[in-house]
């Protein structure tokens, strides 16, 4: 089964597809920074700008405005609905065409957002971006899982998350630069999203469709030659037979993939796939990533210092994802998730304790404590980046049998988008009402997640994707 060479062609397929993650990451990183820029606020949210100017402003209620939150969350709401259309497209048109569609929506969304003259154009641009995210996040992890050789499947799939973290980091650097360009720096921030989108567009003509997708759509010969091409060897008989068998089995039950998803046999991967997405959001990571600049300003850093601190967390995020790529196929999925729960819990509790005791509504933290908080945010981001970040996408993309794979993964993606939009929409309001206690709220969730992994999550390292049912779920 481990019969494969890593060729230049297959590596280029992985990298081009992973640009879908870079798009998603860039967008996560860019929105928090743009919504903290004065020029952007003056143009679209003058009321928020006025509030921000008050001499005695409240550290925890600086940006509590539901329309400003809608600017961030509208993308995830549209991604949620798009992921179901993407699931159909991935099955009927193949993974490659669906990635192409994603890139087109990204490009149009970037152009519209950068050219926005009013709130309507701005939100509409975000919605188009969201459709791109829905199509990209549905298809790219599936694509990477299906083209990866089994012994490297975890590492290859995590390239998606690696590119998400690189996207966030680039966005932080871009925001840091454009915040000094007046009055249209924010337009540049939003417009630059077109660059990775164009690379993804070009890449979708370079990459192949996955052998599974080709066989599933009746192109057996092409499926076999593609398998030889991506494995770099001519003897792919054993793996090819497994793919064909999985496709045959899927065909028998394919007609009602939604109905099949609700059969008792399909419930464990569905519940695990959905819960992992909910938990990924309730680690509190998006709260920290979206609003890192706002968060650091809350702690009393000045505007540029806060963007700089976000750049620091960005570097940590990218670096730690490499740890996951190195370890995931060696130590397995469960150990990484459990280790991270301990590290994240300690970091969150410590941040909460410092803010509760030392940051009043209108004061600032002293420099030592502020530096400690940045350090704690880094240890928190570090552990998330080698665990819940990448594995939240990897595990659902490898655990569903073929007949429910695209539908099941669409449920996972749309759950992720739903809870991302809930957190994006509610976080500023929660920060305003719960203040520093919000960190204890997320800590509680981390305890629940750790218990869930310990008692219910099976280990999937080293198991062929089309043998999951008998080797994992029948024993579960």
């Amino acid at each position: 089964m481990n019969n494969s060479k890593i060729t230049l062609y297959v590596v280029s397929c992985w990298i081009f597809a992973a640009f879908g993650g870079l798009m998603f990451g860039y967008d996560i990183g860019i929105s928090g920074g743009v919504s903290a820029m004065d020029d952007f606020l003056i143009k679209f949210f003058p009321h928020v700008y006025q509030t921000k100017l008050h001499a005695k402003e409240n550290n925890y209620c600086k940006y509590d405005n539901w329309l400003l939150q809608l600017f961030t969350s509208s993308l995830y709401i549209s991604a949620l609905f798009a992921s179901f259309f993407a699931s159909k497209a991935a099955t009927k048109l193949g993974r490659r065409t669906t990635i192409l569609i994603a890139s087109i929506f990204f490009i149009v969304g970037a152009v519209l957002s950068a050219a926005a003259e009013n709130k309507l154009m701005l939100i509409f641009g975000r919605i188009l971006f969201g459709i791109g995210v829905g199509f990209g996040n549905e298809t790219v992890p599936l694509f990477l899982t299906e083209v990866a050789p089994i012994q490297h499947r975890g590492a290859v799939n995590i390239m998606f998350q690696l590119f998400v973290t690189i996207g966030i980091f680039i966005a932080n650097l871009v925001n840091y630069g454009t915040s000094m360009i007046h009055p249209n720096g924010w337009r540049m921030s939003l417009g630059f999203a077109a660059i990775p989108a164009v690379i993804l567009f070009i890449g979708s003509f370079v990459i192949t469709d996955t052998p599974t997708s080709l066989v599933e759509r009746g192109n057996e010969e092409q499926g076999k030659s593609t398998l030889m091409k991506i494995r770099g060897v001519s003897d792919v008989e054993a793996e090819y037979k497994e793919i064909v068998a999985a496709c045959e089995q899927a065909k028998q039950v394919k007609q009602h993939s939604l109905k099949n998803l609700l059969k008792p046999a399909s419930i464990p991967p569905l519940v695990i796939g959905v819960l992992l997405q909910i938990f990924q959001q309730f680690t509190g990571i998006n709260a920290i990533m979206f609003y890192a600049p706002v968060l650091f300003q809350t702690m009393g850093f000045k505007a540029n210092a806060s963007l700089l601190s976000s750049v620091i967390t960005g570097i940590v995020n990218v670096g730690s994802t490499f740890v996951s790529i190195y370890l995931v196929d060696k130590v397995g999925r469960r150990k990484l998730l459990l280790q991270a729960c301990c590290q994240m819990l300690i970091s969150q509790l410590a941040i909460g304790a410092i803010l509760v005791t030392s940051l009043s509504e209108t004061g600032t933290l002293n420099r030592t404590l502020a530096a400690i908080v940045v350090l704690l945010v880094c240890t928190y981001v570090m552990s998330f980046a080698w665990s819940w970040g990448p594995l939240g996408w990897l595990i659902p993309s490898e655990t569903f049998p073929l007949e429910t794979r695209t539908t099941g993964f669409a449920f996972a993606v749309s759950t992720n988008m739903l809870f991302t939009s809930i957190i994006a929409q509610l976080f500023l309001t929660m920060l305003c009402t719960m203040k520093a206690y919000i960190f204890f709220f997320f800590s509680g969730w981390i305890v629940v997640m750790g218990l869930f992994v310990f008692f219910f999550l099976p280990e999937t390292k080293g198991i062929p994707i089309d043998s999951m049912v008998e080797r994992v779920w029948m024993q579960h």
Side-chain angles (χ1 to χ4, degrees):
M1 269 311 291
N2 295 354
N3 183 13
S4 62
K5 288 213 276 288
I6 294 185
T7 61
L8 184 64
Y9 177 69
V10 77
V11 172
S12 61
C13 282
W14 300 341
I15 291 172
F16 273 125
F19 263 89
L22 195 132
M23 284 293 330
F24 179 44
Y26 184 85
D27 214 277
I28 292 176
I30 218 75
S31 33
V34 165
S35 56
M37 287 183 195
D38 288 350
D39 294 321
F40 175 79
L41 292 174
I42 291 165
K43 185 163 180 66
F44 296 106
F45 303 98
H47 173 70
V48 182
Y49 178 68
Q50 286 309 319
T51 315
K52 194 179 156 182
L53 287 182
H54 289 326
K56 276 289 196 205
E57 61 183 19
N58 184 323
N59 270 323
Y60 295 101
C61 293
K62 206 175 283 198
Y63 297 96
D64 183 19
N65 176 292
W66 74 270
L67 258 174
L68 183 60
Q69 285 159 272
L70 187 65
F71 164 71
T72 299
S73 65
S74 56
L75 178 140
Y76 299 95
I77 299 164
S78 68
L80 188 165
F81 291 108
S83 58
F84 286 101
F85 293 103
S87 148
K88 279 272 174 275
T91 306
K92 294 270 185 288
L93 309 172
R95 320 299 192 231
R96 170 181 155 166
T97 309
T98 313
I99 291 174
L100 172 70
I101 295 169
S103 69
I104 294 168
F105 276 111
F106 276 136
I107 293 168
V108 180
V111 171
L112 199 64
S113 304
E117 283 302 329
N118 51 48
K119 278 192 190 119
L120 192 67
M121 268 179 88
L122 191 67
I123 303 285
F124 194 57
R126 297 290 292 169
I127 289 171
L128 290 176
F129 251 139
I131 298 172
V133 166
F135 272 73
N137 288 15
E138 162 70 21
T139 320
V140 171
L142 281 181
F143 174 89
L144 292 170
T145 293
E146 288 180 348
V147 296
I150 162 191
Q151 69 274 32
H152 302 303
R153 188 176 65 230
V156 171
N157 182 281
I158 288 172
M159 285 180 70
F160 174 74
Q161 180 67 17
L162 173 68
F163 274 64
V164 171
T165 61
I166 293 170
I168 293 174
F169 177 58
I170 291 172
N172 285 331
L173 286 179
V174 168
N175 278 338
Y176 186 62
T178 59
S179 63
M180 300 167 204
I181 300 169
H182 305 288
N184 288 323
W186 62 271
R187 288 190 193 278
M188 295 169 75
S189 284
L190 294 172
F192 283 154
I195 298 170
V198 168
I199 295 172
L200 185 65
F201 178 77
I202 296 165
S204 60
F205 292 99
V206 176
I207 64 175
T208 170
D209 214 329
T210 70
T212 306
S213 176
L214 289 163
V215 174
E216 185 182 23
R217 289 178 292 131
N219 306 326
E220 277 91 355
E221 280 312 301
Q222 202 188 339
K224 189 169 187 177
S225 61
T226 300
L227 189 61
M228 290 179 192
K229 192 174 179 184
I230 61 173
R231 291 290 174 260
V233 292
S234 53
D235 175 24
V236 292
E237 207 48 49
E239 187 178 1
Y240 179 67
K241 277 184 180 147
E242 252 184 31
I243 292 173
V244 172
C247 290
E248 281 306 313
Q249 199 184 344
K251 218 169 267 163
Q252 317 280 305
V253 289
K254 193 70 188 213
Q255 306 324 315
H256 308 286
S257 57
L258 196 58
K259 215 153 85 185
N260 290 317
L261 204 53
L262 300 173
K263 281 187 180 157
S266 305
I267 294 292
L270 180 64
V271 169
I272 284 172
V274 165
L275 279 180
L276 280 176
Q277 304 302 325
I278 296 173
F279 290 154
Q280 190 194 59
Q281 297 314 309
F282 277 100
T283 54
I285 186 67
N286 277 350
I288 284 189
M289 277 308 183
F290 273 137
Y291 299 109
V294 179
L295 209 61
F296 287 124
Q297 276 182 342
T298 296
M299 290 161 198
F301 290 81
K302 291 287 167 280
N304 276 354
S306 73
L307 274 172
L308 199 57
S309 339
S310 321
V311 170
I312 297 165
T313 52
I315 294 173
V316 171
N317 198 4
V318 175
S320 307
T321 307
F322 282 105
V323 175
S324 188
I325 288 177
Y326 179 70
L327 289 177
V328 69
D329 293 312
K330 290 188 172 64
V331 305
R333 286 58 164 153
R334 280 170 53 90
K335 283 183 185 159
L336 280 175
L337 290 171
L338 290 168
Q339 183 281 331
C341 282
C342 302
Q343 192 169 327
M344 290 195 295
L345 182 66
I346 295 166
S347 308
Q348 291 263 29
L349 289 173
I351 293 172
I354 290 175
L355 296 190
V356 165
T357 52
S358 309
L359 184 69
S360 63
E361 291 188 7
T362 52
T364 55
L365 284 178
N366 69 47
R367 289 187 70 157
T368 317
L369 282 178
I372 292 171
V373 170
V374 172
L375 198 65
L376 286 166
V377 166
C378 288
T379 59
Y380 168 82
V381 168
M382 191 185 292
S383 52
F384 176 87
W386 64 54
S387 63
W388 288 88
L391 301 184
W393 296 106
L394 166 63
I395 294 169
S397 77
E398 66 182 2
T399 47
F400 286 104
L402 183 61
E403 63 267 20
T404 54
R405 191 172 298 156
T406 55
T407 315
F409 195 61
F411 267 93
V413 172
S414 57
T415 304
N416 187 295
M417 295 303 137
L418 173 66
F419 281 86
T420 304
S421 66
I422 289 172
I423 294 275
Q425 193 60 36
L426 295 182
F427 174 70
L428 291 178
T429 310
M430 284 165 73
L431 187 63
C432 201
T433 41
M434 296 167 80
K435 305 193 168 52
Y437 290 98
I438 193 165
F439 291 98
F440 300 130
F441 169 78
F442 289 124
S443 300
W445 276 96
I446 290 173
V447 174
V448 174
M449 288 151 46
L451 294 171
F452 171 79
V453 172
F454 189 77
F455 290 109
F456 299 110
L457 190 74
E459 182 54 73
T460 47
K461 133 182 116 123
I463 296 169
I465 184 171
D466 293 313
S467 314
M468 271 311 157
V469 177
E470 57 272 17
R471 289 179 53 184
V472 173
W473 300 116
M474 285 179 175
Q475 278 116 51
H476 191 261

